[in-house]
């Protein structure tokens, strides 16, 4: 691989898509390890549309003990004890374990790493940028350190989780559950595949960009305010989410869109009700978001009155943008109706659901 005239370059580039939860994660039982108060479940979108692309490079000539990271061209501070530091440290530990087993390997774990990451969509606007960002960081470091297949995607998800909770789910394509776990160490808090994208390719996602402004209350701060003040959240954790996790997993396995849609919309509404139940209340949805809810409810009512199933499901994260899930056959009609009622709105196009490109290390030789 290396030659005396051209030094080996240790670099890897990977991309990771966003995932949109249908059972929402909202609340931590441990804020430093990022352990959630409830299980969650999401659908990973096609990375042709919303994705983070990240290149990681290790080089013996980089000043020792100084990893660096640039996000969309601007350098981020890697704080001691912070999320980024933890991700770098955990990934270096895995590389070190590999080097300890094989003395012929270069000691990449001892070298500083430079990372460059780009999102092809607005950052921190409620479009799950931290999920794809941390997933791409972990995937690129895993490729740089050649950790897979010995280290599984679920094991990597445990580390991505410590960057941003929802990021653990972007390590997989298709339908993914984050099992919150019960261990204080977080050893059992990781993502698992419920079904691959190929299981239900008919399901499409439509992103309605209501606003690409940065959200007023970041998720991290907002969810802990909800944990501290909302009685409704305790009800959600104990009595709402466990049944829904099972029911939506069954709906996905059976490709039952009506059940999937009903649970997805109910969980989005329950999550935003918990935000409203927070003191002081948190408002993520705006008038346009609520109008889209009404429109989808009306479309579903009309379709069901004709004896057909539901047309679509809406869900909203910590922002005003709507994500609609729908069977392929309904997408054209939904788009036409949405365009009719919101002629000035800014719409992205249909996003099919897949995980087309696996982590892809760049050529290593100079
Ligand atoms: C509403 O994963 O961004 O999108 O773990 O503090 O980084 P941190 O929070 P984050 O929260 C995502 C919240 C959500 C719901 C979800 O994706 O499940």
């Amino acid at each position: 691989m290396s030659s005396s005239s051209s030094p080996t370059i240790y670099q890897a580039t990977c991309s990771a898509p966003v995932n949109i939860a249908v059972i929402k994660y909202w609340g931590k039982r441990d804020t430093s390890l990022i352990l959630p108060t409830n299980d969650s479940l999401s659908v990973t979108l096609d990375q042709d549309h919303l994705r983070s692309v990240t290149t990681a490079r290790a080089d013996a000539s980089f000043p020792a003990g100084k990893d660096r990271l640039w996000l969309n061209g601007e350098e981020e501070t890697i704080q001691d004890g912070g999320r980024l530091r933890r991700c770098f440290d955990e990934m270096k530990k895995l590389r070190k374990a590999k080097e300890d087993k094989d003395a012929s390997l270069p000691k990449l774990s001892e070298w500083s790493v430079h990372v460059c990451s780009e999102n092809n969509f607005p950052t921190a606007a409620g479009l799950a940028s931290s999920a794809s960002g941390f997933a791409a960081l972990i995937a690129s470091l895993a490729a740089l350190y050649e950790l897979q297949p010995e280290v599984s995607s679920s094991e990597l998800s445990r580390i991505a989780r410590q960057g941003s909770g929802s990021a653990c789910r972007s390590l997989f394509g298709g339908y993914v559950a984050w099992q919150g776990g019960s261990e204080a160490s977080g050893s059992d808090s990781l993502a698992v595949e419920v079904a691959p994208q190929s299981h239900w390719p008919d399901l499409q996602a439509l992103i309605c960009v209501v606003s690409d402004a940065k959200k007023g209350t970041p998720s991290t701060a907002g969810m802990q305010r909800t944990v501290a003040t909302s009685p409704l959240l305790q009800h959600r954790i104990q009595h709402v989410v466990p049944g829904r996790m099972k029911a939506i997993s069954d709906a996905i396995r059976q490709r039952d869109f009506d059940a999937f849609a009903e649970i997805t919309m109910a969980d989005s509404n329950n999550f935003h009700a918990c935000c409203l139940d927070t003191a002081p209340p948190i408002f993520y949805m705006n008038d346009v978001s609520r109008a889209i809810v009404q429109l989808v409810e009306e479309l579903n009512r009309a379709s069901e009155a004709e004896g057909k199933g539901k047309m679509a499901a809406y869900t909203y994260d910590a922002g005003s943008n709507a994500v609609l899930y729908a069977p392929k056959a309904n997408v054209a009609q939904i788009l036409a109706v949405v365009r009719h009622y919101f002629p000035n709105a800014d719409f992205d196009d249909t996003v099919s659901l897949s995980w087309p490109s696996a982590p892809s290390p760049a050529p290593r030789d100079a």
Side-chain angles (χ1 to χ4, degrees):
M1 212 150 79
S2 61
S3 74
S4 53
S5 57
S6 67
T8 303
I9 288 179
Y10 295 98
Q11 177 173 309
T13 299
C14 288
S15 60
V18 307
N19 70 77
I20 302 293
V22 289
I23 304 294
K24 306 292 185 190
Y25 146 56
W26 197 251
K28 297 181 182 68
R29 59 187 162 90
D30 182 319
T31 51
S32 116
L33 288 173
I34 311 200
L35 301 176
T37 47
N38 61 262
D39 295 346
S40 56
L41 195 144
S42 61
V43 185
T44 299
L45 303 189
D46 183 329
Q47 59 179 324
D48 288 348
H49 297 266
L50 305 177
R51 67 166 179 275
S52 301
V53 181
T54 300
T55 299
R57 179 168 180 154
D59 196 311
S61 73
F62 292 157
K66 188 157 174 29
D67 299 316
R68 299 176 73 182
L69 181 141
W70 288 261
L71 173 60
N72 294 328
E74 300 226 348
E75 185 163 7
E76 299 275 306
T77 309
I78 302 177
Q79 278 168 354
D80 282 349
R83 293 169 171 217
L84 281 168
R85 187 68 267 152
R86 196 183 284 271
C87 287
F88 279 107
D89 289 349
E90 292 292 317
M91 295 301 285
K92 284 184 181 193
K93 247 191 247 169
L94 292 176
R95 171 67 191 188
K96 172 87 171 58
K98 191 179 163 88
E99 291 165 2
D100 287 347
K101 278 194 206 136
D102 182 350
S104 71
L105 290 173
K107 302 275 180 276
L108 300 193
S109 64
E110 293 169 10
W111 300 353
S112 290
V113 180
H114 288 185
V115 173
C116 179
S117 188
E118 301 273 341
N119 296 333
N120 69 341
F121 59 95
T123 299
L127 287 173
S129 55
S130 66
S132 57
F134 275 101
L137 172 68
I138 296 305
S140 64
L141 288 173
L144 173 70
Y145 291 155
E146 297 188 311
L147 297 178
Q148 292 199 288
E150 292 83 3
V151 178
S152 70
S153 293
S154 276
E155 283 171 73
L156 292 178
S157 82
R158 227 178 351 225
I159 301 176
R161 186 203 79 222
Q162 297 173 57
S164 180
S166 53
C168 71
R169 299 184 309 237
S170 273
L171 263 297
F172 292 89
Y175 304 86
V176 188
W178 173 10
Q179 299 173 339
S182 55
E183 296 290 332
S185 66
S187 60
D188 56 353
S189 188
L190 42 78
V192 294
E193 182 187 88
V194 173
Q197 184 272 337
S198 57
H199 167 73
W200 199 1
D202 188 48
L203 192 71
Q204 302 280 295
L206 182 74
I207 319 280
C208 303
V209 179
V210 173
S211 164
D212 60 7
K214 277 205 171 193
K215 51 198 169 196
T217 307
S219 321
T220 307
M223 67 173 76
Q224 286 321 96
R225 205 155 94 203
T226 308
V227 169
T229 62
S230 166
L232 187 58
L233 184 76
Q234 297 312 316
H235 175 74
R236 169 175 171 74
I237 294 166
Q238 286 163 37
H239 303 294
V240 177
V241 169
R244 281 189 185 156
M245 282 295 292
K246 177 170 181 338
I248 205 158
S249 302
D250 289 347
I252 290 165
R253 286 192 195 103
Q254 291 155 19
R255 297 184 203 91
D256 177 348
F257 183 73
D258 280 358
F260 174 86
E262 195 175 315
I263 301 165
T264 295
M265 294 186 286
D267 203 71
S268 176
N269 291 334
N270 183 263
F271 154 51
H272 287 278
C274 289
C275 292
L276 193 61
D277 192 45
T278 300
I282 308 169
F283 306 101
Y284 287 122
M285 294 168 68
N286 62 21
D287 285 350
V288 178
S289 321
R290 283 186 285 273
I292 295 172
V293 167
Q294 280 176 316
L295 193 64
V296 173
E297 293 284 357
E298 186 51 34
L299 275 171
N300 285 342
R301 197 197 55 73
S303 174
E304 285 173 321
E306 286 177 24
K308 299 186 211 149
K310 290 191 195 307
M311 290 283 289
Y314 53 77
T315 188
Y316 296 80
D317 276 347
S320 57
N321 301 314
V323 174
L324 306 185
Y325 289 113
K328 217 178 259 176
N330 298 349
V331 169
Q333 192 184 341
I334 295 164
L335 266 177
V337 172
V338 172
R339 283 219 168 88
H340 175 79
Y341 284 100
F342 301 99
N344 300 323
D346 176 12
F347 293 103
D348 206 314
D349 58 351
T350 310
V351 179
S352 61
L353 310 169
S354 66
W355 172 248
S357 45
S360 50
R364 282 170 168 254
D365 294 329

